[in-house]
Amino acid sequence: MQRSPQEARPESRTPPSAPSTTPTPAWAAADGSEAAEPIGGLQEYYYELCVEKSQEIKPFILHILQKVDEEIEKGLVGITLNVAGNCRLMPVERVTGEDFWILCRILKNNPYINGLDVRYNLISDVGASYAAELLQKQHNLIYLNLMFNDIGPEGGELIAKALHKNTTLKHLRMTGNKIENKGGMFFAAMLQINSSLEKLDLGDCDLGMQSVIAFATVLTQNQTIKGLNLNRPVLYGEQEESTVHLGHMLKENQCLVELHLCKHDIKNCGMKQLCDALYLNRSLRYLDVSWLSVVSNNIKGEGLVALSQSMKTNPTLSNIYLWGNKFDEATCVAYSDLIHMGRLKSDNTDVEPYVVDGHVYLAEVSNGLKRHYYWTPGYGEACSLSSNAGLTLVPVGQYL
């Protein structure tokens, strides 16, 4: 019988008495793996580990584990353990590095869970070390979301090095963790070795010019990565070296489907480099060069028109997001024509044409990853697939 969180957490905080015989949990025997440590459901295992380590028992985590226990009892597989710190439906207690150690212990031998979402928590570099250990020992995990967890360059290094030998993880989200140029270099080096990771999100990680160029260089050879987010690096200089290297990469790479380059301060010269590459590239479907916050790309009419022209010769490119750059009338007409002729579907861009006094203008619309980029709904579904276009283009697991 499924135990409630209240039953699994006695007020005395004394561990439940062990049964006369130690039962083997159903999930431990599912794949014939070595006997696991828990003597009951995930709730009970969590409670006992907390008592053993004198760790605070968090009702929020107990509630989540109860739901997972129920799914396991129903025989479900491919479960994502979602312990997001920004849940809007119940009081949330943020997960710390030590809490995360306990979650990693729970996941270690569990074949039913293949995804872990701990975004918007406080695991820091301490938790990153446990995440690295989990990636080395848990061979079912395909999705790991660590975004906005105060992980720095040292934690980024540990996670990147753990992926040298990991052959199962498909999607890693590190968004908002300030791993900086040092951490970015370790992830670029990892992509020279890892041949299983398909989607990597390093947006808002304070990457530097050196690491962005390193990613562009590595991806001329790596033919596994399908989705890459390099939004908002910290770049200095006016020569757009990184954009030049990214353009060269797109000429060579025929695997990348989704590329995010928001807030790279791309200008017309850099946009022309990317457009030249798009004439040869036949894999990229999603390109985001739009403006998200204070620092924008600085693409003007000539560069934006060149991008629109590339869609006429590149049959693969289907999603373009460009709001926040500098539109002139030629730009507005060019994208209006693409939309009206059906080459660029209205759901696949973040602009919509309208006419005033005979002149064409572009208005912003909420499509692409703008709507659910930093969070996915905690309840219900997005109103349309276009709200999560990147997730549709590169689907490598639940909640991706």
Side-chain angles (χ1 to χ4, degrees):
M1 179 181 297
Q2 179 65 45
R3 304 177 64 187
S4 68
Q6 290 77 16
E7 292 173 326
R9 184 178 181 243
E11 293 183 2
S12 64
R13 286 177 61 97
T14 56
S17 57
S20 55
T21 59
T22 302
T24 301
W27 59 261
D31 63 350
S33 61
E34 60 181 279
E37 297 179 25
I39 62 172
L42 298 180
Q43 293 177 91
E44 186 171 2
Y45 189 24
Y46 169 73
Y47 171 77
E48 291 182 343
L49 283 172
C50 286
V51 171
E52 177 187 341
K53 300 298 180 181
S54 299
Q55 186 76 15
E56 178 187 1
I57 299 171
K58 296 188 173 179
F60 172 65
I61 295 179
L62 278 172
H63 176 77
I64 297 298
L65 294 179
Q66 178 190 14
K67 299 298 184 183
V68 175
D69 279 338
E70 291 171 356
E71 292 179 333
I72 291 174
E73 286 187 358
K74 293 176 183 178
L76 299 180
V77 294
I79 300 169
T80 293
L81 178 59
N82 188 338
V83 195
N86 64 339
C87 179
R88 293 166 171 79
L89 301 181
M90 64 184 71
V92 173
E93 298 174 82
R94 297 287 177 90
V95 173
T96 65
E98 296 307 318
D99 294 324
F100 190 64
W101 176 85
I102 291 177
L103 291 176
C104 290
R105 280 287 299 273
I106 289 173
L107 289 175
K108 182 180 176 183
N109 294 317
N110 194 309
Y112 288 92
I113 298 174
N114 69 1
L116 176 60
D117 186 342
V118 289
R119 65 191 185 275
Y120 288 100
N121 282 293
L122 303 169
I123 72 170
S124 69
D125 286 344
V126 173
S129 67
Y130 301 136
E133 184 178 352
L134 180 68
L135 289 170
Q136 292 174 327
K137 296 183 178 180
Q138 218 278 11
H139 301 298
N140 299 298
L141 203 66
I142 65 170
Y143 174 53
L144 179 59
N145 188 339
L146 298 172
M147 58 194 295
F148 289 97
N149 261 291
D150 293 334
I151 297 172
E154 289 73 21
E157 176 183 351
L158 292 172
I159 292 170
K161 287 183 175 179
L163 289 171
H164 285 196
K165 295 183 179 180
N166 181 285
T167 59
T168 54
L169 194 72
K170 301 294 184 183
H171 187 181
L172 175 64
R173 301 198 71 176
M174 291 288 292
T175 321
N177 293 298
K178 305 306 181 183
I179 64 171
E180 303 176 355
N181 191 70
K182 176 184 176 183
M185 291 299 293
F186 283 108
F187 274 97
M190 174 271 295
L191 292 182
Q192 292 182 297
I193 300 170
N194 183 290
S195 60
S196 57
L197 193 67
E198 296 182 7
K199 200 165 185 178
L200 177 61
D201 188 343
L202 294 176
D204 297 305
C205 286
D206 287 0
L207 302 178
M209 177 73 76
Q210 183 185 20
S211 55
V212 173
I213 292 175
F215 277 108
T217 303
V218 168
L219 289 179
T220 59
Q221 300 297 323
N222 182 299
Q223 297 297 314
T224 306
I225 288 287
K226 298 177 181 177
L228 179 65
N229 186 338
L230 298 177
N231 286 348
R232 207 200 68 78
V234 179
L235 304 177
Y236 299 97
E238 298 293 328
Q239 301 305 313
E240 298 195 75
E241 296 96 332
S242 60
T243 311
V244 172
H245 284 270
L246 288 166
H248 175 70
M249 177 272 292
L250 288 174
K251 292 179 181 179
E252 301 292 327
N253 184 294
Q254 298 300 321
C255 179
L256 197 64
V257 174
E258 173 189 342
L259 179 61
H260 298 261
L261 300 177
C262 292
K263 296 187 283 187
H264 276 238
D265 199 24
I266 299 173
K267 301 178 178 65
N268 279 357
C269 179
M271 194 69 249
K272 289 180 180 178
Q273 294 281 344
L274 295 179
C275 291
D276 288 344
L278 292 175
Y279 286 118
L280 300 176
N281 184 283
R282 289 297 180 268
S283 66
L284 194 71
R285 295 180 56 192
Y286 181 114
L287 177 63
D288 192 343
V289 293
S290 62
W291 166 90
L292 287 178
S293 184
V294 178
V295 182
S296 70
N297 285 315
N298 196 24
I299 309 168
K300 298 180 181 179
E302 184 180 357
L304 294 170
V305 170
L307 179 59
S308 72
Q309 293 296 322
S310 69
M311 287 202 76
K312 297 179 180 179
T313 57
N314 184 318
T316 310
L317 188 62
S318 61
N319 297 59
I320 291 183
Y321 303 89
L322 56 137
W323 180 260
N325 291 291
K326 299 184 177 180
F327 302 156
D328 59 10
E329 187 164 5
T331 299
C332 297
V333 170
Y335 285 92
S336 176
D337 289 346
L338 284 177
I339 292 171
H340 287 144
M341 73 174 59
R343 176 61 187 89
L344 179 60
K345 295 182 179 179
S346 58
D347 281 349
N348 293 351
T349 186
D350 57 354
V351 294
E352 181 179 32
Y354 65 96
V355 179
V356 176
D357 295 334
H359 295 281
V360 181
Y361 300 91
L362 296 176
E364 182 184 17
V365 293
S366 181
N367 285 333
L369 293 186
K370 304 294 185 302
R371 188 165 189 169
H372 298 311
Y373 178 66
Y374 290 114
W375 61 281
T376 49
Y379 51 91
E381 299 293 336
C383 60
S384 69
L385 292 178
S386 65
S387 295
N388 279 304
L391 312 185
T392 304
L393 291 174
V394 188
V396 292
Q398 189 181 18
Y399 302 123
L400 308 189

